[in-house]
Amino acid sequence: MMEKDYRGPFSRMGEGLLEKYIEDLKKELEGKPDDPDLNFKLGVAYARLKKIEEARQIYKKLKNINPALAKELLDVIYEV
């Protein structure tokens, strides 16, 4: 008997929601490019989608804005 994996559709739905969330965050950042919380949330969203290079770019930016949040994001990226 083949085991069913029910996470598939939910994972795709989650990815779609994360993509929308990323777009919303990017729009918000247009008005507040140095907002540490928005940058952190964007970096985490990229990491969750396995877009590591994009998350690393946010980490580099965040390092100059808020080093503590940057470290926290780095932990998320590499799942420390």
Side-chain angles (χ1 to χ4, degrees):
M1 185 167 142
M2 196 156 103
E3 194 172 309
K4 293 183 180 179
D5 181 7
Y6 291 102
R7 292 176 301 162
F10 298 109
S11 295
R12 285 190 294 278
M13 187 175 12
E15 284 179 17
L17 291 173
L18 268 176
E19 290 286 356
K20 170 78 171 97
Y21 183 58
I22 286 171
E23 291 308 312
D24 291 346
L25 285 171
K26 287 163 79 174
K27 285 179 188 170
E28 262 192 272
L29 278 165
E30 288 174 10
K32 301 184 256 180
D34 292 333
D35 184 295
D37 293 325
L38 292 175
N39 279 287
F40 177 75
K41 290 175 185 177
L42 182 58
V44 170
Y46 278 139
R48 294 293 180 240
L49 282 177
K50 306 289 187 224
K51 293 185 174 188
I52 302 305
E53 188 53 41
E54 290 88 341
R56 287 180 67 227
Q57 292 304 317
I58 298 298
Y59 162 76
K60 289 176 185 177
K61 179 179 177 182
L62 196 55
K63 204 165 58 167
N64 295 319
I65 301 169
N66 185 319
L69 273 181
K71 175 163 180 359
E72 199 172 324
L73 176 57
L74 193 61
D75 289 347
V76 171
I77 292 170
Y78 294 104
E79 296 184 23
V80 173

